[in-house]
Amino acid sequence: MTTFATLKTRLPWIQTPLIANAPMSGVATSELATAVTRAGGLGQIGYLDDMHALSQELDSTRKELQNIMDTLPDPEQLPIGLGVIVFGSPVDAWMRLFAKYKPAVAWLSFAGTSEMKTWTESIRKVSPKTGIWVQLGSVQAAVDVALACHPDALVLQGSDAGGHGHQDGASIVSLIPETVDALRKLEIDISLIAAGGIMDGRATAAALTLGASGVVMGTRFLGAAESHVPQIYRDAIFSASDGGQSTARSRVFDEIWGPNFWPTTYDGRCLRNKFYEMYTRGKDIKSIRAWLSDTMNGSDGERLDVQDMGSLWAGTGVGMMNTLGNAADIVDSIREDTKRHLKHAASLY
Ligand SMILES: Cc1cc2nc3c(=O)[nH]c(=O)nc-3n(C[C@H](O)[C@H](O)[C@H](O)COP(=O)(O)O)c2cc1C
């Protein structure tokens, strides 16, 4: 069975248990990725559609992490993950980036199996040592991608996750063990990484017990000083509690801004807001857009909170975070906390 040791053969600098920041588009830039990798985790840079800006992020990451690169078996390899939102992305332009920077991990998300296969094969051609991690949110998608792409890891994204994900999802509590069983039946051995609702050592210990070899956190890192998050967004997240009540999954969080280009498999989890409430009460999207525009222009006198004026992506874990920290402290403390909880669990028997 694949374990942490399997992951470490490709990512020699990581410490156990593996903690990665999610490659959150626009939020996880070089600053966060560098800090997480330096702390012994897998730092990741999120998708940008501006290839020039992304190259600059990768250049500065390379400069910052040169001392770690010098210790790697392949000193050309950039010790981070690079996130790609696959649907609609130009393969050739991305392959030039993968060939030039050789990130340790290519994180692929949001596309069907055949597109994932094209991307996997293309990346392996231009950067054979880059590990392929595919994020998905159902047992069937995991099996299909495992059979077609033979990725190095499957990131199982549960329905608690912030940001986009499978509309018809389950939490990692059932998603991981069912996927473990399905893959085992087919004699497929692939590292599994857990994502969705993980905020601390307790959840990390639970994810490892469910069958994951490491964890990815997005929402938790919105509270890291190195993330690019506007202060008003951060304040709204720090004040939120009771994540199932204060966040919601819906396609309205994309639809509100115009035509929704996201494939219908996906919706997203954000802080609940006024336009979400209108949408669930059945108000049509055109009149919600008109109401939002009028209200934001101040013409109807109604007061809006920051989460009413945007789609503030966040997972159900929001209630467990209310202060700013730095990424290294987050990684270190969760790692140590996880070990404590695993020891405690073992001591019960
Ligand atoms: C603000 C934000 C932005 C995100 N952007 C991306 C993205 O660009 N690509 C991606 O694959 N996942 C993205 N995600 C989802 C994460 O990859 C991950 O599945 C999720 O954060 C895990 O759940 P958690 O937020 O409860 O930790 C995003 C999540 C958040 C909270």
Side-chain angles (χ1 to χ4, degrees):
M1 202 184 107
T2 51
T3 56
F4 173 78
T6 317
L7 292 170
K8 198 167 165 76
T9 54
R10 276 209 192 252
L11 314 171
W13 71 90
I14 61 171
Q15 295 173 37
T16 183
L18 171 65
I19 293 172
N21 71 277
M24 296 175 279
S25 179
V27 169
T29 56
S30 171
E31 210 183 334
L32 180 65
T34 305
V36 172
T37 287
R38 281 213 189 103
L42 175 68
Q44 304 203 84
I45 292 183
Y47 168 91
L48 292 177
D49 60 4
D50 178 342
M51 291 285 147
H52 179 66
L54 190 49
S55 298
Q56 286 180 328
E57 289 295 324
L58 291 162
D59 282 334
S60 71
T61 307
R62 192 146 67 178
K63 217 181 276 166
E64 290 289 327
L65 295 179
Q66 192 60 57
N67 58 338
I68 295 183
M69 291 170 72
D70 291 340
T71 67
L72 299 178
D74 178 0
E76 292 247 291
Q77 189 147 63
L78 194 58
I80 57 148
L82 176 58
V84 188
I85 293 179
V86 169
F87 81 91
S89 286
V91 184
D92 292 347
W94 278 89
M95 289 316 121
R96 285 194 287 280
L97 222 62
F98 277 107
K100 179 168 177 195
Y101 294 100
K102 300 184 174 48
V105 166
W107 166 293
L108 307 179
S109 52
F110 309 129
T113 305
S114 68
E115 258 186 293
M116 291 299 187
K117 187 166 190 268
T118 305
W119 278 74
T120 301
E121 288 169 355
S122 305
I123 294 168
R124 285 189 169 142
K125 249 183 234 153
V126 299
S127 181
K129 289 185 188 153
T130 292
I132 308 287
W133 290 22
V134 180
Q135 175 170 251
L136 29 76
S138 77
V139 178
Q140 192 59 55
V143 167
D144 291 347
V145 166
L147 289 170
C149 308
H150 311 289
D152 298 276
L154 290 168
V155 182
L156 298 176
Q157 186 197 37
S159 52
D160 288 308
H164 291 92
H166 277 230
Q167 185 160 229
D168 300 318
S171 79
I172 54 172
V173 173
S174 56
L175 178 62
I176 297 177
E178 190 180 343
T179 306
V180 168
D181 293 346
L183 294 176
R184 190 174 290 148
K185 223 181 258 174
L186 295 166
E187 298 183 9
I188 297 171
D189 195 17
I190 293 178
S191 299
L192 300 179
I193 308 293
I198 299 168
M199 299 296 281
D200 58 19
R202 292 168 294 186
T204 304
L208 299 178
T209 311
L210 290 167
S213 303
V215 301
V216 171
M217 289 178 279
T219 302
R220 183 67 190 86
F221 283 103
L222 294 176
E226 295 87 344
S227 294
H228 283 229
V229 182
Q231 192 55 44
I232 46 171
Y233 185 164
R234 215 169 241 151
D235 289 344
I237 284 178
F238 287 160
S239 351
S241 58
D242 201 353
Q245 302 292 310
S246 57
T247 70
R249 300 200 73 89
S250 174
R251 281 179 65 84
V252 75
F253 297 119
D254 289 297
E255 255 152 51
I256 191 75
W257 310 116
N260 185 358
F261 299 108
W262 280 80
T264 51
T265 313
Y266 308 105
D267 63 5
R269 187 178 286 282
C270 283
L271 290 184
R272 272 180 200 235
N273 60 16
K274 287 192 173 150
F275 61 74
Y276 165 80
E277 304 297 344
M278 289 175 170
Y279 188 74
T280 51
R281 283 200 308 267
K283 203 167 173 84
D284 74 282
I285 193 72
K286 273 195 186 146
S287 36
I288 302 176
R289 284 185 196 136
W291 164 83
L292 185 62
S293 164
D294 289 349
T295 314
M296 282 173 76
N297 291 331
S299 51
D300 77 351
E302 193 174 341
R303 197 186 154 276
L304 293 179
D305 290 326
V306 59
Q307 65 262 36
D308 298 320
M309 293 184 265
S311 300
L312 302 193
W313 308 102
T316 60
V318 280
M320 284 183 278
M321 179 177 68
N322 51 24
T323 50
L324 192 65
N326 67 56
D329 289 343
I330 293 171
V331 172
D332 288 342
S333 63
I334 293 180
R335 199 160 42 215
E336 291 315 308
D337 217 25
T338 303
K339 291 179 199 162
R340 220 163 40 76
H341 284 290
L342 287 172
K343 272 189 202 141
H344 172 69
S347 75
L348 296 175
Y349 298 98

